[in-house]
């Protein structure tokens, strides 16, 4: 691999010496100074173009000095600049008016063609109690579905949520859910961009099987101080940003706390000779970021995130003599931190280096008190990552862009820590394991002709944990081209490996789960995916349409054998709890139509798919549906802009019910039913569908501050969507026979919401 890199860079250096003109620089928001990623840089005369990277940097090599270079970005006015030799450009783009149409004339983005959602679109979509959610917004794109009612977990092309690599400023987030999955931990007020890769993954990403969700935090306004206050039914949030040194350094701090946390303040005082129960739930998020421009070529970025959920259920009984109580708690949270340094080494070479920290913990508590003595058991699981990454972006030719780099991560797993005074006082237990994961990657965007382009690359990974060691290559290919009548063709081939496994507890409350390492007995999972599709932009009425098919094969999957579950106690080795070396298959057809200009904007998508698993010792060795296999998934989102102040939004979702294991019968034992199961996931939950509506008003406060009022309804026609099924036996007194009864439980009826925010 080193020889290949050397030959490539040597050949590129020779070509770079030829008589060519290179335009480079950075692109920023004119109002805030924020670096802009994904900006189109386009020379219309030669037909050459590129995009800015995540740090706003671009490099475009041409055969001669251009007259003008065009810079275009969604939501901004086009900008033209005349470059000068050996002088980097500092481009400032001005935002477009709310109803102004912005047309992007540029080559199709390479490197995996991510689904990118503007934060403004995410914030305008109605959701549970009006809480804007980036993961919910992605669920309205083809190939992506959600779990149960209210869940923010994403199931991408048949994969489970643990197969999604979620990055916040390059740091992995292991549990992205609040309130047990009803919405995600990402505060939209702190986000700058959101990209989803579900196929044709660039080689710079790895470690998961199904998708990559790459989120970037805002850098803060380096021109003036400002912020935003938001008031809602679920939470309150505050964002502050401003310059530490004008034009050179800035900061942003964004926090939110749950309104539900006030429930502890409203709990009535416990009365003598009475009993009752208390529920307490609260969460918080804190995002912070600073960036320093040391020079025109050197930047330092510091990012931090902390979020935590706390849930407690307390059942009590109080008399004149004593108070007896039993309390069960469930807590979980993330900490991430990133230090990044970027440097422009030359007009054609951009570098960045970073140190990354991520920590996730999940806790379960159980306490019993009789007034005289308290018995307790506290258990928790944890995964802690410390790692580093170096990446180079090289622009040797006008028809080639290259990226190469190396990553190293040390995982520390603590799947079971317990402190208890049950039985023997001080009976503490702890399990800890360490693993090292490294990767070397190389990828290139190659313009084959004026109509065809290729992203080719590979990733070589190594993983070791104790005596277990794995070395695996991951080839990647993505082809894009133009066909007759302005049809676009795209295809991809990817191989992905996942060295982590997630055990989810199906019996305890919200979020008690454990991340565990791949071992020689339970080896890493692997996925091979093919995808291909077509797209076309219809001039009238300005609609983009696309069709894509995919096929995915998986190996070394894990599942629970019949009659077992992860209890969190791990009295036995986790390798003995699960069944490994399963195989999976998934295939689907994805259709989408989207309109991004004019007064009526939105998207309509439909997915037809099938996802199945097979294990030798489960379901008699026969294929069975994955839990969240959904055959049909139809969704639509739309926004109508009446004027600059008023707009109305709506979302509709229909999904086939996910797979569930239904009992074939039951036998009575001491008058209690014991259910008999024959096949895994042999039934379906009822179909899921709902309509959400919202109205937004943009205004001003004291003719100075921007305001936004949002109100609407969740589940507008009051659909009783299933949360879970309960199985019972019923006795018919007339016939004297018993029968099996399945009862559906639902949670969210029609719910109104209102949110108000002020920018200052």
């Amino acid at each position: 691999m080193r020889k290949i890199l050397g030959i490539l860079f040597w050949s590129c250096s020779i070509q770079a010496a030829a008589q060519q003109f290179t335009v480079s620089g950075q692109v920023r928001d004119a109002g805030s100074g924020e670096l802009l990623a994904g900006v189109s840089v386009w020379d219309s005369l030669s037909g050459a173009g590129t995009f800015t990277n995540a740090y706003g940097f671009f490099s475009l090599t041409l055969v001669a000095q251009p007259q003008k270079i065009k810079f275009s970005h969604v939501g901004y006015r086009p900008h033209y600049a005349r470059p000068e030799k050996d002088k980097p450009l500092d481009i400032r783009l001005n935002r477009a008016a709310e109803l102004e149409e912005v047309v992007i004339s540029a080559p199709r983005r390479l490197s995996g063609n991510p689904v990118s959602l503007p934060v403004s679109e995410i914030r305008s979509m109605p959701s549970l109690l009006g809480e804007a959610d980036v993961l919910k917004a992605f669920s309205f794109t083809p190939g992506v579905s959600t779990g149960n009612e209210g869940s923010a977990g994403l199931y991408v092309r048949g994969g489970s949520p643990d197969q999604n690599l979620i990055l916040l400023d390059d740091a992995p987030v292991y549990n992205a859910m609040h309130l047990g999955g009803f919405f995600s931990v990402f505060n939209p007020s702190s986000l700058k961009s959101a990209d989803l890769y579900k196929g044709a993954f660039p080689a710079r990403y790895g470690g998961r099987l199904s998708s990559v969700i790459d989120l970037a935090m805002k850098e803060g306004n380096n021109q003036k101080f400002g912020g935003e206050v938001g008031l809602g039914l679920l939470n309150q949030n505050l964002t502050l940003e401003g310059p530490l040194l004008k034009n050179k350094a800035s900061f942003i701090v964004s926090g939110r706390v749950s309104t539900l946390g006030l429930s502890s303040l409203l709990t009535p005082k416990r009365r003598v000779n009475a009993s009752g129960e208390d529920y307490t739930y609260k969460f918080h998020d804190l995002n912070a970021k600073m960036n320093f421009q040391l020079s025109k070529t050197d930047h330092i970025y510091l990012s931090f995130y902390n979020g935590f959920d706390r849930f407690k259920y307390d059942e009590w009984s109080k008399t004149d003599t004593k108070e007896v109580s039993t309390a069960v708690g469930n807590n979980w949270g993330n900490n991430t931190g990133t230090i990044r340094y970027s440097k422009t080494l030359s007009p054609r070479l951009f570098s960045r280096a970073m140190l990354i920290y991520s920590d996730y913990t999940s806790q379960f508590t159980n306490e019993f008190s009789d007034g005289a003595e308290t018995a307790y058991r506290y258990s928790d699981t944890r995964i802690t990552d410390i790692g580093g990454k170096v990446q180079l972006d090289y622009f040797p030719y006008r028809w080639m862009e290259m990226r190469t780099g190396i990553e190293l991560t040390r995982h520390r797993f603590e799947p079971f820590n317990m402190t208890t005074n049950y039985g023997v006082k001080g009976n503490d237990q702890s399990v800890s394991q360490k693993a090292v994961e490294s990767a070397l990657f190389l990828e290139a965007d190659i313009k084959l002709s004026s109509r065809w382009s290729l992203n080719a690359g590979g990733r070589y990974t190594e993983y070791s944990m104790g005596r277990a060691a794995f070395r695996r290559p991951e080839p990647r290919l993505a082809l894009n081209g133009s066909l007759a009548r302005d049809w676009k063709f795209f295809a991809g081939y990817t191989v992905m490996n996942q060295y982590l496994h997630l055990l989810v507890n199906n019996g305890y409350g919200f979020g008690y789960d454990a991340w565990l390492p791949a071992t020689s007995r339970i080896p890493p999972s692997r996925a091979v995916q093919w995808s291909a599709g077509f797209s076309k932009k219809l001039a009238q009425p300005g609609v983009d349409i696309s069709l894509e098919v995919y096929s995915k094969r998986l190996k070394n999957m894990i599942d629970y054998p019949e009659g077992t579950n992860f209890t969190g106690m791990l009295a036995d080795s986790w390798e003995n709890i699960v069944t490994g070396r399963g195989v999976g298959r998934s295939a689907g057809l994805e259709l989408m139509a989207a309109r991004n200009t004019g007064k009526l904007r939105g998207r309509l998508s439909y997915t037809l798919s099938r996802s199945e698993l097979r294990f030798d010792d489960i379901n008699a060795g026969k294929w069975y549906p994955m839990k969240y296999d959904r055959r049909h998934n139809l969704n639509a989102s739309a926004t109508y802009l009446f004027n600059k102040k008023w707009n109305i939004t709506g979302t509709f979702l229909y999904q086939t019910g996910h797979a569930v294991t239904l009992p074939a019968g039951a036998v009575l034992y001491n008058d209690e039913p014991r259910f008999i199961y024959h096949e895994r996931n042999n039934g379906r939950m009822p179909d899921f569908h709902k309509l959400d509506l919202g109205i937004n008003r943009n205004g001003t406060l004291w003719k100075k501050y921007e305001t936004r009022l949002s109100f609407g309804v969740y589940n507008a026609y009051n659909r009783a969507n299933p949360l879970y099924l309960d199985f019972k036996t019923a006795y018919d007194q007339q016939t004297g026979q018993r029968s099996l009864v399945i009862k559906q439980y639902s949670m969210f009826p029609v719910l109104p919401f209102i949110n108000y925010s002020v920018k200052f």
Side-chain angles (χ1 to χ4, degrees):
M1 182 63 76
R2 286 201 224 45
K3 291 181 180 179
I4 294 174
L5 288 172
I7 293 172
L8 285 172
F9 278 102
W10 175 75
S11 63
C12 293
S13 300
I14 294 177
Q15 177 68 22
Q19 294 298 318
Q20 295 179 337
F21 190 90
T22 299
V23 183
S24 66
Q26 288 184 309
V27 183
R28 298 177 180 271
D29 182 296
S32 66
E34 289 256 4
L35 293 168
L36 297 177
V39 177
S40 164
V41 184
W42 180 247
D43 176 30
S44 59
L45 292 179
S46 66
T50 187
F51 293 89
T52 58
N53 66 10
Y55 297 80
F57 176 82
F58 70 91
S59 177
L60 181 62
T61 299
L62 306 168
V63 295
Q65 182 173 354
Q67 293 297 315
K68 285 186 178 180
I69 297 294
K70 182 180 180 180
F71 297 85
S72 305
H73 195 43
V74 176
Y76 291 83
R77 296 191 182 97
H79 179 87
Y80 296 87
R82 180 180 175 84
E84 299 179 19
K85 190 174 183 180
D86 300 327
K87 187 176 181 180
L89 294 176
D90 184 13
I91 304 300
R92 308 285 172 132
L93 297 185
N94 293 294
R95 291 187 177 272
E98 182 73 20
L99 295 179
E100 185 175 344
E101 182 173 328
V102 179
V103 180
I104 304 298
S105 300
R108 184 181 179 90
R109 177 194 289 272
L110 302 179
S111 305
N113 300 315
V115 177
S116 299
L117 292 180
V119 176
S120 58
E121 179 181 345
I122 295 170
R123 301 187 67 172
S124 67
M125 295 178 67
S127 56
L128 178 63
L129 295 180
E131 186 60 34
D133 194 316
V134 60
L135 298 189
K136 277 289 197 306
F138 278 130
S139 71
F140 285 87
T141 60
V144 183
S145 64
T146 57
N148 292 328
E149 168 76 286
S151 173
L154 294 187
Y155 298 81
V156 181
R157 291 185 170 176
S160 55
D162 63 290
Q163 295 174 4
N164 302 320
L165 176 62
I166 302 178
L167 300 174
L168 181 62
D169 274 3
D170 291 294
V173 179
Y174 282 97
N175 189 329
M177 305 304 158
H178 279 315
L179 199 59
F182 293 125
F183 60 97
S184 73
V185 303
F186 304 111
N187 184 354
S189 299
S190 68
L191 295 180
K192 179 172 71 171
S193 63
D195 295 331
L196 166 67
Y197 297 85
K198 57 183 179 178
F201 300 96
R204 59 186 178 272
Y205 296 113
R208 299 293 191 276
L209 302 184
S210 293
S211 75
V212 176
I213 301 173
D214 195 352
L215 306 173
M217 290 171 52
K218 293 178 180 177
E219 296 156 9
N221 194 319
N222 66 13
Q223 303 296 308
K224 60 181 181 180
F225 179 81
E228 179 179 359
V229 176
L231 306 175
L233 296 179
L234 274 182
N235 65 70
Q236 324 303 317
N237 62 77
L238 172 64
T239 301
L240 301 174
E241 60 179 323
L244 296 171
L245 184 63
K246 192 170 183 179
N247 293 320
K248 295 292 185 182
S250 62
F251 77 94
I252 182 171
V253 177
S254 184
R256 64 178 179 178
V257 296
S258 64
T259 308
L260 300 174
L262 299 176
S263 61
S264 60
L265 301 177
L266 303 177
T267 301
K269 185 177 180 180
R270 299 183 179 183
R271 295 177 288 107
V272 177
N273 297 323
S275 60
E277 54 187 15
D278 301 328
Y279 296 88
T280 303
Y281 176 79
K282 55 186 176 181
F283 72 84
H284 74 268
D285 293 305
L286 177 63
N287 298 79
K289 188 172 182 178
M290 294 185 292
N291 76 94
F292 305 89
Q293 184 176 348
L294 305 179
S295 67
K296 290 184 177 181
T297 60
D298 299 74
H299 289 75
I300 290 181
Y301 308 85
L302 306 177
S303 305
F304 169 79
Y305 167 75
N306 169 261
F308 212 80
D309 289 63
R310 299 181 186 276
F311 171 77
K312 186 177 182 181
Y313 168 73
D314 193 357
E315 187 177 9
W316 56 273
S317 176
K318 188 174 183 180
T319 65
D320 292 325
T321 57
K322 66 177 181 178
E323 179 178 343
V324 178
S325 65
T326 301
V328 177
N330 203 181
N331 312 317
W332 67 95
N334 300 273
N335 287 290
T336 70
T338 309
I339 302 175
R340 294 180 292 176
Y341 170 69
S342 69
K343 182 176 181 62
T344 304
L345 300 175
S346 75
R348 300 190 187 189
L349 187 60
F350 182 84
S351 66
R352 82 287 302 270
M354 60 195 73
L355 296 175
I356 300 168
Y357 172 82
S358 178
D359 177 79
Y360 167 66
T361 183
S362 178
Q363 304 170 352
F364 180 79
T365 64
N366 193 352
E367 298 176 352
F368 173 80
S369 175
D370 60 3
E373 187 176 0
T374 298
Y376 62 86
R377 183 183 68 205
Y378 306 136
S379 59
D380 70 85
T381 72
R382 181 184 297 269
I383 179 173
T384 304
D385 289 352
I386 299 177
K389 180 178 179 180
V390 176
Q391 180 175 324
L392 297 175
D393 296 358
Y394 189 42
F395 306 82
Y397 311 129
R398 56 192 176 91
W399 49 268
M400 177 185 283
E401 299 177 11
M402 298 175 61
R403 282 167 291 277
T404 186
I406 189 170
E407 300 178 35
L408 180 66
T409 303
R410 193 209 70 167
H411 304 288
R412 180 183 176 90
F413 302 90
E414 298 178 57
F416 178 53
N417 294 315
M418 184 177 71
T419 301
T420 181
N421 63 356
Y422 283 173
V424 181
K425 291 185 180 296
N427 183 17
D428 299 344
Q429 300 180 39
S430 178
V431 176
S432 177
Q433 296 172 306
K434 296 179 182 179
V436 176
E437 184 178 348
S438 60
L440 175 67
F441 63 87
L442 171 66
E443 64 177 273
D445 288 334
I446 304 169
K447 190 173 183 181
L448 302 175
S449 68
S450 59
R451 300 171 66 90
W452 290 89
S453 57
L454 177 72
N455 175 263
R459 185 179 181 91
Y460 182 78
T461 60
E462 292 190 2
Y463 169 88
S464 62
M465 200 284 294
R467 296 182 178 180
F470 302 92
R471 298 175 179 84
R472 294 185 171 177
E474 300 178 5
R476 314 284 177 84
L477 286 173
L479 179 67
N480 294 273
S482 298
L483 304 175
R485 298 183 180 180
D486 294 327
W487 281 94
K488 304 288 186 182
F489 172 79
F490 49 93
Y493 169 78
T494 61
V495 176
M496 304 285 279
N497 290 287
Q498 181 166 329
Y499 296 100
L500 310 177
H501 297 294
L502 179 65
L503 295 188
V504 178
N505 170 39
N506 297 320
Y508 288 144
F510 286 133
Y512 195 61
D513 46 32
W515 288 89
L516 296 160
T519 66
S520 55
R521 290 180 59 189
I522 308 294
S525 304
R526 185 176 178 87
V528 178
Q529 180 177 234
W530 294 86
S531 60
F534 299 89
S535 67
K536 181 179 175 63
K537 184 175 181 64
L538 304 178
Q540 295 295 332
V543 175
D544 295 324
I545 59 174
S546 67
L547 177 152
E548 187 171 2
V549 294
Y550 69 88
S551 176
K552 184 161 54 174
R553 292 293 183 268
L554 306 103
K555 62 185 298 187
N556 294 331
M557 306 300 291
I558 67 171
D559 205 342
Y560 295 115
E562 310 292 352
T564 63
N565 184 25
F566 166 50
T567 65
M569 296 301 96
L570 288 181
D572 194 4
S573 170
W574 76 272
E575 296 168 297
N576 297 328
I577 297 175
V578 302
T579 292
R581 302 186 184 277
V583 295
R585 61 188 183 189
S586 179
L589 166 69
E590 302 172 355
L591 303 172
M592 187 177 74
R595 189 170 191 260
N596 301 313
T597 60
K599 287 193 172 184
L600 179 61
R601 307 175 184 183
R603 64 168 54 91
L604 174 68
S605 69
Y606 168 73
T607 304
L608 173 67
S609 64
R610 172 178 289 182
S611 305
E612 298 176 307
L613 291 172
R614 188 180 68 189
F615 293 81
D616 291 338
D617 51 355
I618 297 178
N619 207 48
K622 297 183 295 185
W623 289 97
Y624 62 90
M626 296 183 188
K627 180 179 180 181
Y628 285 102
D629 167 60
R630 297 186 185 273
R631 196 59 41 83
H632 303 283
N633 189 345
L634 173 70
N635 55 60
S637 62
T639 299
Y640 185 81
L641 307 172
F642 291 100
N643 49 47
K644 292 184 178 181
K645 288 187 176 181
W646 290 93
N647 66 75
I648 184 171
T649 62
T651 60
F652 175 77
L653 173 63
Y654 170 84
Q655 296 179 144
T656 304
H658 67 75
V660 63
T661 302
L662 299 177
V667 295
L668 293 180
Y669 182 80
N670 292 334
D671 218 29
E672 290 293 329
R674 291 190 175 183
F675 297 105
I676 302 171
Y677 297 91
H678 286 166
E679 295 185 0
R680 177 72 61 93
N681 290 344
N682 59 342
R684 293 278 173 178
M685 296 283 279
D687 292 350
F688 179 100
H689 55 86
K690 68 180 178 69
L691 172 69
D692 304 332
L693 298 173
I695 298 176
N696 303 299
R697 185 189 186 279
N698 300 307
T700 58
L701 181 65
W702 301 318
K703 298 182 180 180
K704 184 177 181 181
Y705 304 117
E706 296 181 18
T707 63
R708 183 180 181 88
L709 174 65
S710 301
F711 55 93
V713 289
Y714 176 90
N715 195 7
Y717 55 83
N718 199 29
R719 162 71 175 176
N721 283 304
L723 183 64
Y724 67 92
L725 302 178
D726 189 20
F727 309 123
K728 296 182 178 180
T729 57
Y731 178 73
D732 191 328
Q733 293 182 349
Q734 293 182 350
T735 63
Q737 295 181 345
R738 291 184 179 271
S739 60
L740 187 63
V741 177
I742 302 176
K743 184 177 181 181
Q744 171 186 311
Y745 285 86
S746 302
M747 186 169 184
F748 294 108
V750 56
L751 293 172
F753 67 82
I754 183 169
N755 286 311
Y756 184 72
S757 63
V758 180
K759 287 186 178 181
F760 56 88

